[in-house]
Amino acid sequence: MQAWQRYMQNSIMTSNPIKNTILIYEKSVAEFRNVGELLNNFRFQEADAVIEKLENIFEELTLQLNPDADEELYKNLTSLYEWILAGLSKIKMTRTAEGINDMIYVLQQLIEGYQGALHHAEQ
């Protein structure tokens, strides 16, 4: 493992969970944009690989939700992640980028919300 990979792994393992969530959402936004570009250029096999990665991310995020921490937040994020997974499934079947911008928009709203919560917590 290269030094920068060890650094990033250590940073993630020791950082704030809100910061980790923001990083995951930001990476997901970049990957959604990548999927759109790949599909628009008819690079379906590569798009499928990125879609699979995104599916794994949102399945893992769903598994990490804790209903005991905040039941309403748990329900809302579960529904959101299910919506994203359904959208990814549709994208994979139709081979079109339809719906990607909506998912990016929602993730960007979540990023802003988490950044606000993080900023508020640090004060």
Side-chain angles (χ1 to χ4, degrees):
M1 183 180 294
Q2 294 181 0
W4 69 269
Q5 289 174 319
R6 281 192 301 262
Y7 170 78
M8 288 303 294
Q9 184 178 19
N10 188 46
S11 290
I12 290 170
M13 296 302 289
T14 59
S15 76
N16 182 309
I18 295 174
K19 287 181 181 179
N20 288 342
T21 303
I22 292 168
L23 288 172
I24 291 168
Y25 288 162
E26 289 173 339
K27 178 67 174 169
S28 296
V29 166
E31 293 293 3
F32 272 110
R33 288 187 175 125
N34 187 24
V35 167
E37 186 175 316
L38 291 169
L39 290 172
N40 289 334
N41 290 307
F42 305 103
R43 295 166 52 191
F44 301 125
Q45 190 172 7
E46 292 171 70
D48 286 344
V50 177
I51 290 169
E52 186 175 327
K53 184 189 321 182
L54 283 164
E55 288 172 330
N56 290 336
I57 289 168
F58 285 96
E59 287 168 359
E60 183 63 31
L61 284 170
T62 301
L63 292 173
Q64 291 183 13
L65 292 173
N66 182 357
D68 297 329
D70 185 323
E71 189 174 342
E72 185 177 347
L73 181 62
Y74 171 80
K75 288 179 183 179
N76 290 338
L77 286 175
T78 299
S79 294
L80 175 67
Y81 296 160
E82 289 173 355
W83 173 74
I84 289 173
L85 288 165
L88 287 167
S89 180
K90 182 178 177 185
I91 289 167
K92 194 187 301 186
M93 288 189 312
T94 62
R95 303 274 194 209
T96 65
E98 186 178 332
I100 287 179
N101 288 335
D102 294 334
M103 288 182 259
I104 289 172
Y105 175 78
V106 169
L107 288 172
Q108 288 172 328
Q109 297 301 305
L110 284 171
I111 291 167
E112 289 178 20
Y114 276 102
Q115 286 171 335
L118 184 63
H119 178 71
H120 186 280
E122 291 175 344
Q123 288 184 345

